[in-house]
Amino acid sequence: MRVAIIANDAEKSRVTATELKRLLDAADIELNQERPTVVITVGGDGTLLGAFHQYLEMVEHVRFIGVHTGHLGFYTDWRNYELELLVESLKKDTGQSVSYPLLDVCIHFNDELADAHHVALNEATIRNIERTMVAKVSIEGECFEMYRGDGLSMSTPTGSTGYNKSLGGAVVHPRVNALQLNEIASINNRVYRSLGSPMIVAPNEKVTIDLKRDDRYQLHLDHYVRSYDNLSSLELTLSKKRIHFASYRHTHFWRRVNDSFIGKIKDED
Ligand code: NAD
C-alpha cells in the first residue's frame, strides 16, 4: 500500500495531515504522493474533489478516503480525531472498496481543434455568459427539445446532493447508475418550451447539447471553471470509469443526507 495525503490550507487540516503522516510512518505504511494506491484527503468535499482531479489519470487504481475537519461531508467519512482508528483499518486492509459513477464530458469545438474529454465527479454545467442559451438537446441522437434559459447541468448520483439539489433536482442514491439533467432558469411560455423538470437519464444514453449561438460559454466541471468562445456541442454520458472509496466503514447514504440537510428532528406523535 502506498498512501498520498492531500490536505486543504486550513490550519486544522494541516495539523491533522501532519499527525496522520506521523501515524502512517509509525505503522510502516509507505507515503507516496506520485504513485499512491490510497489517497487520503483532509478537509471537506472540495478537498476530495480536488484530489479526484489530481489523480484522475490513475483513478481506476486508486482508492480514496476522506477525513473531514468540518462537518460530515458527502465524500468524507472519517473525523480528524479518528486517525488512529483509520490507520488501524489501513493496516488490516483487504482491498475492500465501494465505487460510484462518474460523468464523461466530450467537448466539440467550432474550429479545427480536436475534441476534448473530461470526467466529473459531481457535475458538468454549461452556461451562456452573454445572453440566453439556446441549445438543441438530443438523446441518443434524436432531438428532444430546444432549450432556452441560463444553462444546463448534468450530475452524477453522488453529485445529486450538490449543485443539482440547489436547482431542484432529486437526490439520487449512489448505487443508482444514472445521470440527471437539470435546467437552470429555463424560459417556458407560449412561444418557448422545454421539459422544465429534472430528467434521469439511463446508463447507456448519450445526451448531446448543441449550442446554437456563437457566444461565450462557461463550463463548470465540479469546482473547475473554464470559459470558451468556440464551443459547438457537448456530449454527456456515464463514464466507463468509476471512483473507488476504501470502505472500512459505511455511513448509510440517507443518514448522510439527513445529517447534511435536515439534522436532528423531534420524534413527535
Ligand atoms: P465549494 O467547494 O465552496 O462547495 C460548495 C458546497 O457544496 C460545500 O458546502 C460543499 O461541501 C458542498 N458539496 C460539494 N460536493 C457536494 C456533494 N456531492 N454533495 C453535497 N454537497 C456537496 O464550491 P466549489 O468549489 O465552487 O464547487 C464544488 C461543488 O460544490 C460543485 O461541484 C457543486 O456541486 C457544489 N456547489 C453548489 C452550489 C449551489 O448549491 N448553489 C454552488 C457552487 C458549488
Side-chain angles (χ1 to χ4, degrees):
M1 176 186 291
R2 299 181 298 276
V3 176
I5 301 174
I6 304 291
N8 68 14
D9 285 340
E11 172 68 14
K12 202 169 172 185
S13 302
R14 277 190 270 128
V15 170
T16 304
T18 306
E19 174 61 4
L20 181 57
K21 268 184 207 151
R22 191 188 68 72
L23 291 169
L24 290 170
D25 255 353
D28 255 345
I29 296 176
E30 183 186 338
L31 280 161
N32 189 324
Q33 294 294 110
E34 281 75 42
R35 287 179 49 251
T37 53
V38 171
V39 174
I40 305 180
T41 64
V42 182
D45 287 327
T47 320
L48 192 293
L49 283 173
F52 163 75
H53 285 275
Q54 185 174 337
Y55 290 102
L56 186 54
E57 289 299 314
M58 51 182 93
V59 76
E60 301 264 65
H61 312 288
V62 162
R63 285 176 297 152
F64 290 88
I65 296 173
V67 175
H68 56 94
T69 48
H71 304 286
L72 176 70
F74 275 85
Y75 297 117
T76 56
D77 277 326
W78 297 81
R79 297 190 187 244
N80 56 323
Y81 50 79
E82 295 177 311
L83 297 182
E84 275 153 19
L85 216 57
L86 171 57
V87 173
E88 275 309 304
S89 301
L90 287 168
K91 276 162 58 181
K92 293 185 202 139
D93 178 64
T94 55
Q96 59 267 56
S97 71
V98 59
S99 74
Y100 299 132
L102 298 169
L103 167 65
D104 188 82
V105 183
C106 178
I107 308 176
H108 299 280
F109 300 95
N110 283 323
D111 38 36
E112 301 293 295
L113 279 180
D115 302 344
H117 271 276
H118 295 283
V119 177
L121 173 54
N122 269 352
E123 76 281 294
T125 302
I126 181 80
R127 282 196 191 85
N128 184 323
I129 49 176
E130 291 182 16
R131 53 184 171 157
T132 301
M133 185 169 108
V134 181
K136 182 174 89 175
V137 177
S138 306
I139 302 171
E140 286 295 278
E142 195 172 314
C143 178
F144 176 73
E145 65 183 11
M146 191 62 78
Y147 171 85
R148 282 178 173 79
D150 282 5
L152 289 162
S153 163
M154 183 74 99
S155 76
T156 63
T158 52
S160 69
T161 44
Y163 187 50
N164 168 76
K165 184 174 181 299
S166 301
L167 292 175
V171 171
V172 179
H173 194 289
R175 276 205 304 270
V176 177
N177 209 23
L179 297 173
Q180 184 168 183
L181 183 67
N182 218 326
E183 300 181 347
I184 309 170
S186 60
I187 301 175
N188 265 299
N189 53 33
R190 285 165 65 139
V191 183
Y192 303 128
R193 183 134 300 278
S194 56
L195 186 66
S197 60
M199 289 166 68
I200 307 288
V201 182
N204 54 352
E205 287 183 324
K206 176 161 72 185
V207 173
T208 308
I209 300 174
D210 267 312
L211 302 164
K212 291 295 176 192
R213 290 178 156 171
D214 286 337
D215 289 344
R216 198 160 176 75
Y217 292 90
Q218 216 172 50
L219 178 68
H220 287 243
L221 291 162
D222 300 333
H223 56 317
Y224 287 111
V225 192
R226 293 149 216 240
S227 295
Y228 298 93
D229 52 15
N230 56 349
L231 278 192
S232 150
S233 64
L234 301 181
E235 286 173 0
L236 306 163
T237 45
L238 260 190
S239 173
K240 290 188 176 70
K241 295 177 180 169
R242 292 171 72 89
I243 184 170
H244 303 267
F245 288 87
S247 58
Y248 303 134
R249 59 164 47 164
H250 178 66
T251 309
H252 193 283
F253 176 69
W254 296 115
R255 192 178 81 66
R256 209 188 283 271
V257 173
N258 171 285
D259 194 89
S260 290
F261 297 113
I262 300 170
K264 285 199 174 71
I265 52 166
K266 278 195 193 136
D267 196 4
E268 288 168 351
D269 50 4

